[in-house]
Amino acid sequence: MNKDIIFLINKSEITAGTRGASLGPDAIMTAARKKGSFIFGENKVEKILSQNDLLDKPALHRFAKRIDGLSAVYSVLNERVSAILSNDSFPIILAADHGSAGGTIAGIKSAYPNKRLGVVWIDAHADIHTPYTTPSGNMHGMPLATALAIDNLESRINDVDEETVTFWNALKHIGGITPKITPEDLVYIAVRDTEEQEDAVLNRLAVKNYEVAEVRAKGVEVVVTEIEEKLRDCDIIYVSFDVDSMDPDMTSHGTGTPVDNGLSPEEAKAILLHFAKNDKTVCIEVVEVNPCLDEKINVMAEITLDIVESIAEELKK
């Protein structure tokens, strides 16, 4: 395989409801230095400019907080991810919060406009809200809705102002391709904390979620084999890994929205390694490490580093 890896560092945390995820990528790099790992010296590291200065000002859009800044993040990711892939390199993205992942997906589609993209979303949350359905306005709950180009008006609870709608529609169209994925090409693993508006759209779209109990009952190898079969008609695959997919009792609470009864670190690592071995996989993203919330002093970053190192090692074989 011997992939040319580029670590793309995205510190924007403007879509999260808690602060500190912008420190996550550096916490992982600090864990590497503590361990004596040279993974970030042996591979190219590229950083994109964050929009975190917006956190020092009031959010202007109630149902899509800091969507103006997120538009800029999406645009940069669309350009950089596309360029990395077009240069035949493999981006491993270390991001602060999950809200920017829609920009990653845009970049993949810009690089491969004629290829069918499958998405494996490993997360405690479905991240398929829209400005019309969100209870919080935090946009880390919305990236998949931008990729799917859905509004979920059937579950509408908010009256959204015109400026927000304009920004929202622009997000869905970044990269010039919309929708970028279809519901049948999206698979969840470990989602276990959703609102009724999300449940409604997931049921309507018939999106598959492998709950933790199913992963345990079948075993990781069976689950990943089933996912690959489901995505067999996809040309390429993107894997998005939120560390809150893991059980906080087995890791730490060093993430913005921890949820009990998650994957073990070993299960998460096995899943990610399997997809790292798959030639269809073109990008892996790791998000939501928050050292400010880590009661075990950077343990979440250390566990995440172990997973990232294993991914990189597999890609280099």
Side-chain angles (χ1 to χ4, degrees), residues 120-131:
V120 181
W121 199 266
I122 310 166
D123 198 330
H125 308 89
D127 293 349
I128 200 168
H129 269 299
T130 77

Side-chain angles (χ1 to χ4, degrees), residues 64 67 71 74 130-132 139 145-147 149-151 153 160-178 180:
I67 192 171
S71 295
Y74 265 44
T130 77
Y132 303 98
M139 295 203 70
T146 69
I150 60 172
D151 295 325
L153 296 178
V160 183
D161 64 275
E162 289 186 13
E163 185 174 62
T164 298
V165 171
T166 298
F167 272 119
W168 176 247
N169 287 332
L171 277 187
K172 291 186 289 186
H173 286 83
I174 280 179
I177 300 172
T178 188
K180 296 169 177 66

Side-chain angles (χ1 to χ4, degrees), residues 48 81 103-104 106-107 125-126 161 171 194 214 224 250 279 282 294:
I48 68 168
V81 172
T104 302
H125 308 89
D161 64 275
L171 277 187
T194 56
E214 186 173 2
V224 292
M250 300 182 194
D279 287 338
V282 297
D294 197 326

Side-chain angles (χ1 to χ4, degrees), residues 191-263:
V191 170
R192 56 195 184 279
D193 184 16
T194 56
E195 281 87 29
E196 61 180 286
Q197 298 86 0
E198 292 180 296
D199 293 336
V201 73
L202 291 174
N203 288 332
R204 189 166 65 250
L205 298 178
V207 178
K208 171 63 178 175
N209 174 35
Y210 282 91
E211 297 182 359
V212 175
E214 186 173 2
V215 174
R216 299 258 163 85
K218 291 182 173 179
V220 167
E221 284 303 312
V222 171
V223 167
V224 292
T225 300
E226 288 183 4
I227 291 173
E228 288 180 334
E229 175 61 21
K230 177 176 173 57
L231 302 180
R232 66 186 181 279
D233 293 329
C234 293
D235 303 299
I236 52 177
I237 293 173
Y238 157 66
V239 181
S240 201
F241 172 59
D242 189 322
V243 299
D244 71 20
S245 62
M246 296 185 290
D247 193 302
D249 289 337
M250 300 182 194
T251 54
S252 77
H253 288 76
T255 186
T257 47
V259 182
D260 290 340
N261 302 314
L263 298 169

